[in-house]
Amino acid sequence: MSRPQSPPLPSGQVMDLYANAIAYFMPDLWDMIRQFADQRKPQCCLYSAPNLIATALMGYLSSLPSFRQIDRALGGDPNVMDNIGSLCGSPAPAVARGETINYYLAGLAEHWLADVLEHTVFNLLKAKRLEVCRERLADTILVAADGTGLTSTTRPIAHSTTRHHGDGTLAYHAYVLLLSFVSPHGIILPFMREFVENGDDYEPEFQKQDCELKAQTKAFALLKKNHPMLRLTVLLDALSLNYDMMDMFRHYGWHFCISHAEDKVPGLRDQLAKKLAAGEFRTTVQEIPGKNGKTIQTYRAVDIKYAFGKGREPGAIAVPVTYVEMKRVILDDNNQEVESKKYSRVTSHVIKTPNQMVTFFEDIGCTRWVEENQGFNEMKNLGLNIEHAYGTKGEALKNHFTLQMIAFCIMQLAGKTNLIELVARDVNGGGNVSGSLRIIFKSLAATARAFLNNLKNQALRLLEDYSSWRIRWLTG
């Protein structure tokens, strides 16, 4: 049986939605871009910085996987040219080609766009628009940190690490660590990135290559420097289960939640086994009825002092942590096991009562997957094509990725809020639209196709007054 079709949207809806999302949530975006230090010769420039960046954003939001396809889809279209000019307030005589955008991004210092991304997302935080990312145990904001590969090639590229293969080839890998505000409801807003790269003074015979742990240390230090009063819970995978990371968070005054892998720290594994065998743990059981059976969730929490690895060195102070696990068993109507899975975490949060165990996993313990499974999966396979090397010369690789994160924020803000209802009502002259963009279109690919069609065939409409708007996240 086929799925019922969504009601048709007013013409131009998706393009107007994205454009008004930028105007509403990022009101100073284009003014900030106009302040960029431009390395080009002014007398040779046909395109302003806002126009070039707006064109790149249109390509990403259209889910076009290469500049060749972007040039073919957008180039030479006067309607696209007019819409880009209206969006950024800086018209141009034609649609900029990919090589022109690449030339500009290659010479643009990477910190400019990085500052725009951080400024934009933290403005949302200051305006209390990210309260959905706040957990209930310690009233902190959830930040997930995870790394991903972008591209690899045998040709030398800037901002990469290297790997020697058995056949004698040398591969260059672009790898990045991404910090994002996340919520248990699937909302993710990236705000800072740190590339894993060997510096210009790297000596392969005497130095180790850069790695994700080093990138984490640099990124968290910068985050603490830029926002010293921010109260966070940092969500990390088992790679970060070490004393140095926990001790750093203790000094920063942040909470942490790190995935536990039994073989990662043998000393911790053995100590946990002894405490669990001796009954030195707290436990509770939660039974959740379902349509075709029930789910039983069993929780256990153990308090320990983390003093392994560098924690054993003289002068080191053990870090008090709680090991907490949840075993989820799904049973059918005949009480036969359908699925069983265990989640185990090491955290600095105080977890003493049954309610705290349940709340921990509802708000914190299972939320890191939002960045890893939803965020990176959407960025790679369902829209932004972050694994494609749009440009590798100079700073182009870093700047393209940062721009893609800005585009991803636009997609999140437009697609997971009630913004589409307000745009249909106030911009498109009414329309019976309810729910979010994600619910209506069912897929990001369909949204991208509609956006591209709007860009080529409709005129952009921006609202002048947003004072009556009340935005809410659709977290159902």
Side-chain angles (χ1 to χ4, degrees):
M1 183 176 178
S2 62
R3 187 167 51 189
Q5 295 294 314
S6 302
L9 294 176
S11 62
Q13 181 72 70
V14 181
M15 177 177 65
D16 291 344
L17 179 64
Y18 283 158
N20 283 277
I22 294 172
Y24 181 75
F25 291 110
M26 309 173 181
D28 53 356
L29 174 65
W30 306 116
D31 287 338
M32 291 187 67
I33 292 172
R34 290 186 183 92
Q35 304 303 315
F36 289 179
D38 198 335
Q39 303 301 315
R40 301 174 298 166
K41 297 179 180 179
Q43 64 272 22
C44 301
C45 297
L46 289 177
Y47 302 96
S48 67
N51 191 278
L52 292 173
I53 288 175
T55 305
L57 288 174
M58 297 304 98
Y60 305 143
L61 294 173
S62 300
S63 192
L64 297 170
S66 69
F67 267 130
R68 181 176 299 174
Q69 293 193 34
I70 292 175
D71 290 343
R72 187 181 301 125
L74 306 185
D77 191 319
N79 203 63
V80 173
M81 176 188 72
D82 291 341
N83 284 331
I84 291 174
S86 298
L87 175 67
C88 66
S90 182
V95 179
R97 295 184 59 82
E99 59 187 13
T100 305
I101 298 172
N102 262 336
Y103 178 80
Y104 170 71
L105 293 180
L108 179 67
E110 59 158 313
H111 71 86
W112 290 108
L113 283 172
D115 291 346
V116 168
L117 176 64
E118 184 177 349
H119 170 83
T120 297
V121 178
F122 270 87
N123 271 358
L124 298 174
L125 182 65
K126 292 174 184 177
K128 302 294 184 182
R129 299 192 185 281
L130 299 185
E131 292 303 294
V132 70
C133 300
R134 190 178 297 277
E135 51 83 19
R136 292 171 289 171
L137 283 181
D139 197 37
T140 62
I141 295 293
L142 297 175
V143 169
D146 200 13
T148 188
L150 298 181
T151 187
S152 62
T153 176
T154 55
R155 294 178 299 173
I157 57 176
H159 313 300
S160 64
T161 56
T162 58
R163 179 180 297 174
H164 289 271
H165 293 275
D167 59 1
T169 60
L170 178 65
Y172 295 82
H173 296 264
Y175 195 89
V176 65
L177 174 76
L178 188 65
L179 271 60
S180 308
F181 293 123
V182 293
S183 85
H185 317 94
I187 294 162
I188 168 172
L189 286 169
F191 63 86
M192 184 177 288
R193 85 289 180 277
E194 182 68 39
F195 274 77
V196 180
E197 57 179 324
N198 296 326
D200 295 334
D201 56 349
Y202 170 65
E203 295 287 344
E205 294 185 11
F206 306 103
Q207 295 175 313
K208 292 183 178 180
Q209 296 198 80
D210 199 9
C211 66
E212 185 175 333
L213 286 176
K214 293 180 181 178
Q216 285 181 3
T217 301
K218 291 185 286 186
F220 291 136
L222 180 61
L223 179 59
K224 183 64 178 179
K225 177 184 177 182
N226 292 350
H227 309 279
M229 303 304 293
L230 192 61
R231 299 180 66 248
L232 300 176
T233 291
V234 183
L235 313 178
L236 298 162
D237 61 18
L239 177 68
S240 304
L241 189 60
N242 61 71
Y243 178 83
D244 285 344
M245 196 63 62
M246 297 179 187
D247 191 49
M248 178 180 65
F249 292 140
R250 176 170 59 181
H251 282 90
Y252 287 170
W254 297 345
H255 282 290
F256 58 82
C257 171
I258 305 176
S259 298
H260 175 255
E262 291 187 357
D263 296 331
K264 175 70 175 177
V265 184
L268 175 62
R269 177 196 61 201
D270 297 341
Q271 185 173 340
L272 284 172
K274 290 179 182 179
K275 283 183 172 284
L276 292 172
E280 298 178 15
F281 59 88
R282 300 173 295 281
T283 186
T284 189
V285 178
Q286 185 183 40
E287 186 172 311
I288 305 171
K291 292 182 179 180
N292 301 307
K294 60 183 177 181
T295 299
I296 298 176
Q297 297 182 159
T298 305
Y299 303 84
R300 295 194 297 182
V302 181
D303 296 329
I304 57 176
K305 298 283 188 179
Y306 194 97
F308 308 101
K310 289 190 177 181
R312 297 183 181 274
E313 296 179 356
I317 302 174
V319 180
V321 299
T322 300
Y323 166 83
V324 58
E325 68 178 30
M326 175 183 69
K327 184 177 181 181
R328 176 181 291 157
V329 179
I330 301 176
L331 305 176
D332 61 17
D333 289 333
N334 299 318
N335 278 338
Q336 298 297 310
E337 184 177 308
V338 177
E339 181 182 338
S340 178
K341 190 169 184 179
K342 186 174 81 169
Y343 305 85
S344 55
R345 307 288 184 262
V346 175
T347 182
S348 59
H349 280 282
V350 176
I351 302 175
K352 300 294 185 183
T353 68
N355 284 342
Q356 288 174 336
M357 296 182 204
V358 174
T359 301
F360 174 81
F361 276 102
E362 286 179 348
D363 290 9
I364 304 170
C366 296
T367 301
R368 195 187 66 83
W369 70 271
V370 171
E371 180 174 59
E372 183 174 354
N373 294 353
Q374 285 199 22
F376 286 142
N377 183 46
E378 290 184 3
M379 294 173 192
K380 291 180 179 181
N381 306 316
L382 302 175
L384 288 180
N385 307 298
I386 62 171
E387 291 180 302
H388 176 75
Y390 285 92
T392 58
K393 294 182 179 179
E395 303 296 324
L397 182 70
K398 288 186 174 182
N399 285 325
H400 274 296
F401 180 77
T402 309
L403 269 178
Q404 287 170 318
M405 294 305 98
I406 294 174
F408 187 75
C409 287
I410 296 168
M411 294 165 63
Q412 291 280 299
L413 293 165
K416 294 184 178 180
T417 66
N418 66 325
L419 194 70
I420 193 168
E421 301 173 7
L422 303 175
V423 169
R425 183 192 71 190
D426 296 340
V427 180
N428 297 109
N432 184 22
V433 177
S434 62
S436 70
L437 187 69
R438 297 290 182 95
I439 294 172
I440 292 172
F441 273 95
K442 303 295 192 297
S443 77
L444 294 176
T447 306
R449 288 194 297 270
F451 172 77
L452 180 59
N453 180 270
N454 296 164
L455 188 63
K456 293 169 69 69
N457 298 297
Q458 304 292 335
L460 180 67
R461 290 165 287 192
L462 287 170
L463 193 65
E464 294 183 359
D465 182 13
Y466 298 100
S467 59
S468 64
W469 280 17
R470 297 295 180 267
I471 302 294
R472 68 181 187 278
W473 291 99
L474 301 180
T475 57

